[in-house]
Amino acid sequence: MSQVAEAAEPPQAPTANGLIGEAPPSPAGPIEPSEAHGLPEPPTIQLPALLQTLRFNQRQIEFVFRARRELGEVFQMRGTIPGGPVITSHPDHVRSLFTAKPEQAPSLTGESPLRPIVGPNSVLTAIGPRHMRQRKLLLPPFHGEAIEQYTQMIADAAEREIDGWPLDRPFALAPRMQAITLDVIMAGIFGIEGKPERGTPEHWLRVATKRLVAASTWPLAQVSELINLNREEAVGLTRVGLELLDRPTYAVIEQRRRAEDLEERRDILSLLLQARTEEGEEMSDKELRDELLTLVLAGHETTANSLAWTWERLVRTPAAHEALRDAVRGAGDPAEQIEATIVEGMRSRPVIPIIGRRVKVPWRLGPYAVPADTAVTMSILLVHHREDLYPEPFEFRPERWLGRKPGTYEWIPFGGGIRRCLGAALAMAEQRVVLETMARRLDLEADDPAPEHAVHRNVTMIPSRGARVVIRSRRDRAE
Ligand code: HEM
C-alpha cells in the first residue's frame, strides 16, 4: 500500500459506477457580509500552530488526509500563513476560485517562498494588472502550436540521455529526467540545443542552475528558505546562490540584446526582447532576469518529478505498465494510452499538491463562510483522491481516462483560471515524448517493491528516493 493510501480512510465502496464519477453540488463563491454572518466558519484543526506548520511542511499527505477524515472537505489550519489557510477539496469551490475576478481572489504565489528568488514582479509572483501584462507577453511562445517545434528536440534529448543509463544497476530516475527537462527549457528559453559550449555564459548558467537546484535539498538551504519567507529580496545563503546565477543570466541577456539575428530568432528570450506592452514598453534587464529565472525554476524540476512519479507508479502497477508498453511497441496509435498514463500519473501524484488564493471579500464554501482576507487553498491531492470523483482513488488506473478528458475543476495539477500553469503545454509535450521513448526502448523494474514516500521540497512533492529503477534490457534507438 502506498503512503497516500496508508494516510487515508479505510477503502469504501466506489460511489459511482465506472472509473470516474461526480461530486454532489456545493454552493461556493463571493457573498455579502450579511450572508456570511449566518454561516459558520470551517472547523479548525486542534493542534498548536507550530506543530501544524511542522506537520504540514514535512508530512502534508498524512496531515491533510487525516484532517479531511476528521473534519470534512473544508477545514482550517493555523500557523503557516496569516489569515488561514482554509483548505478545501470540493470541485465547486475550486471553480469559484478559478473563475473569480482577479481582484476578488488574487493568487497566493505573491506570498510564496519563491518570491525573494524570482522577485515580486515575475509572472508567478505578481498580482493584478502587472500579472496580466507579464502573462500576455509570455503566452505566445508557450502556446500548443509554438511548443510543437520542440518535439524533435525533446526526443533527441531523451534518446541521448537513455543511451547513457546503466543496465542491471539501480539508479534514480528523477535526476536523469531533470537533465532532460533542463536541456529542453534551456533550449526553449535561450535557443541553445544540447550542451552549450564550455566557458560561454549559457554554459555557466546551466551549471549554476543545476548546482542551485541540487543544493536546495541541503538542510542549510531549507533554513535559508525559512529566513527568506515573506521577504522582497533574498538574503543569506540564498542571496549568495542567486548571485552565481544572476551573473551568467545578465551576461546572456546582454549578449542577446546585441545579436544581429534577433528578429529571426524564435527562442523565448529573443521573443521577450522584442515584445512590447500595449503601451509600447519593452522589458528591462531586471524584468527579463526575473522571468527567465521563473521559467527555468518553475519549468524543469516540476516536469522532471512528474515523469519520475509516473514511472514510480508504472513499475509498481504491472497492468498499466504492460498496457503502455504494448501500445508504444504495437502497430496502432499509442497516443491515447500515453495521454491516459500521464493524466493518471498527475492525478495520483500531483507534483504541486496545493495552491491558493487570498479572498478579498467574504466567501462561501459549501455550508461554511470565511471572512475577507482569508487564504483559501485547494488541496490538489485531496481533490484528486475523492472517492466520488475517482472510485478507488488510490489505484493507479490509466484506463480511467481512455475516451475521457479530465474535468477542468476535478483534475487540477496545473491549477486553473488566469493563473493556470503557463508551461502546461510544454510540460505535457515533454512528458509524452519522454514517456513514449522510455517505454519503447526500456524494460524497467522497481528496485524495491515498496512504494516511494513523498518528500516536500519548496512547493513541490517529490519521490523520496528519486524513483529508483533497474533497466533489464534496452533497445537501440532505431528498433
Ligand atoms: C508537470 C509540470 C508542471 C506542473 C505540475 C506545474 C504546475 C503548476 C501549478 C500548480 C501552477 C499554479 C497554478 C495556479 O495557481 O492556479 C503553475 C504556475 C506556473 N507554471 Fe507550471 N507546472 C509545470 C511545468 C511548468 C513549465 C514547464 C513551465 C515553464 C516553462 C511552468 C511555468 C509556470 C508559470 C510561469 C506559472 C505561473 C503562471 C501564472 O501565475 O500566471 N510550469 N504551474
Side-chain angles (χ1 to χ4, degrees):
M1 201 165 30
S2 74
Q3 183 195 7
V4 173
E6 279 163 21
E9 48 261 73
Q12 298 160 12
T15 50
N17 289 329
L19 295 164
I20 297 187
E22 263 177 46
S26 178
I31 47 173
E32 293 300 323
S34 55
E35 207 185 324
H37 287 314
L39 294 168
E41 283 200 25
T44 305
I45 298 172
Q46 296 300 325
L47 279 176
L50 183 65
L51 201 59
Q52 294 194 30
T53 309
L54 282 176
R55 293 216 180 138
F56 180 81
N57 286 343
Q58 301 200 326
R59 297 234 164 248
Q60 191 185 130
I61 295 183
E62 286 89 338
F63 187 81
V64 295
F65 274 100
R66 180 164 177 196
R68 187 183 75 173
R69 192 166 62 233
E70 291 176 358
L71 302 173
E73 64 192 7
V74 188
F75 51 85
Q76 22 186 340
M77 55 183 293
R78 264 185 261 125
T80 38
I81 41 176
V86 163
I87 300 182
T88 179
S89 53
H90 195 291
D92 289 352
H93 305 181
V94 170
R95 180 202 309 260
S96 78
L97 294 161
F98 282 176
T99 56
K101 293 197 188 106
E103 64 278 12
Q104 283 190 332
S107 169
L108 275 178
T109 47
E111 304 167 31
S112 114
L114 288 175
R115 185 176 146 114
I117 298 173
V118 298
N121 288 321
S122 95
V123 67
L124 184 77
T125 48
I127 53 174
R130 166 89 207 180
H131 166 253
M132 288 314 280
R133 173 190 159 212
Q134 292 309 100
R135 202 172 155 97
K136 266 196 197 152
L137 283 177
L138 284 165
L139 267 174
F142 285 104
H143 262 167
E145 276 166 37
I147 294 305
E148 266 168 38
Q149 61 170 328
Y150 297 129
T151 312
Q152 190 54 47
M153 185 257 291
I154 303 169
D156 292 343
E159 300 277 14
R160 261 198 316 272
E161 253 302 312
I162 291 173
D163 285 340
W165 293 350
L167 280 176
D168 293 319
R169 186 156 52 81
F171 68 102
L173 275 180
R176 304 322 325 147
M177 299 289 105
Q178 218 159 298
I180 301 175
T181 56
L182 186 58
D183 275 352
V184 172
I185 195 77
M186 297 289 275
I189 295 180
F190 301 107
I192 329 153
E193 290 203 19
K195 300 225 178 338
E197 225 173 279
R198 268 193 87 78
T200 57
E202 285 91 346
H203 166 78
W204 291 118
L205 186 56
R206 192 176 189 281
V207 172
T209 307
K210 280 181 111 169
R211 288 201 184 138
L212 278 190
V213 171
S216 71
T217 51
W218 298 350
L220 212 58
Q222 314 235 320
V223 173
S224 181
E225 191 190 311
L226 281 180
I227 296 170
N228 276 286
L229 219 55
N230 296 325
R231 281 180 196 270
E232 199 106 307
E233 294 286 338
V235 293
L237 199 65
T238 311
R239 177 76 256 150
V240 176
L242 279 181
E243 269 160 26
L244 286 179
L245 204 59
D246 281 354
R247 230 170 295 141
T249 308
Y250 282 118
V252 175
I253 296 173
E254 165 66 18
Q255 207 176 51
R256 188 60 51 84
R257 243 190 223 292
R258 288 186 280 110
E260 281 176 7
D261 61 347
L262 184 65
E263 278 173 31
E264 289 97 67
R265 297 186 69 110
R266 308 267 35 98
D267 57 84
I268 291 163
L269 172 57
S270 302
L271 293 175
L272 290 181
L273 278 167
Q274 299 170 72
R276 298 289 177 271
T277 61
E278 277 160 13
E279 297 78 42
E281 288 170 57
E282 61 178 59
M283 288 172 78
S284 69
D285 281 4
K286 169 80 170 83
E287 286 175 319
L288 283 165
R289 172 265 181 211
D290 289 355
E291 294 304 5
L292 297 178
L293 202 58
T294 301
L295 297 176
V296 171
L297 292 182
H300 86 285
E301 221 197 336
T302 39
T303 315
N305 279 299
S306 195
L307 271 162
W309 270 129
T310 298
W311 279 106
E312 188 277 343
R313 294 289 78 204
L314 275 172
V315 292
R316 292 174 177 82
T317 319
H321 196 182
E322 212 42 55
L324 178 67
R325 275 193 301 202
D326 287 352
V328 302
R329 294 176 189 183
D333 181 0
E336 200 186 7
Q337 188 68 37
I338 293 169
E339 196 75 9
T341 308
I342 296 167
V343 171
E344 182 67 351
M346 297 183 83
R347 180 195 71 80
S348 72
R349 295 294 185 275
V351 172
I352 297 186
I354 195 159
I355 52 173
R357 308 287 186 258
R358 190 172 286 283
V359 296
K360 291 296 180 188
V361 292
W363 212 268
R364 180 157 187 194
L365 296 166
Y368 308 112
V370 297
D373 247 2
T374 303
V376 182
T377 59
M378 298 156 263
S379 170
I380 298 177
L381 197 66
L382 287 181
V383 172
H384 287 185
H385 286 85
R386 288 181 66 107
E387 291 268 352
D388 48 11
L389 289 179
Y390 303 107
E392 299 185 50
F394 303 103
E395 300 294 316
F396 183 77
R397 292 198 169 164
E399 64 271 25
R400 290 181 205 276
W401 305 104
L402 295 176
R404 188 142 191 173
K405 281 210 179 329
T408 315
Y409 309 110
E410 288 86 10
W411 184 83
I412 52 170
F414 291 117
I418 56 154
R419 305 299 304 218
R420 185 168 191 268
C421 176
L422 207 77
L426 176 61
M428 289 305 286
E430 288 184 79
Q431 294 185 89
R432 280 182 205 115
V433 173
V434 177
L435 193 79
E436 171 166 16
T437 313
M438 288 175 65
R440 185 167 34 77
R441 291 190 59 193
L442 304 173
D443 287 315
L444 291 174
E445 281 175 14
D447 73 323
D448 176 346
E452 294 198 20
H453 285 230
V455 292
H456 295 270
R457 185 198 289 178
N458 298 320
V459 293
T460 61
M461 176 181 106
I462 63 182
S464 56
R465 295 186 302 117
R468 282 178 79 79
V469 294
V470 185
I471 301 180
R472 290 298 176 211
S473 65
R474 174 171 44 214
R475 289 147 188 248
D476 290 340
R477 289 187 190 199
E479 256 182 75

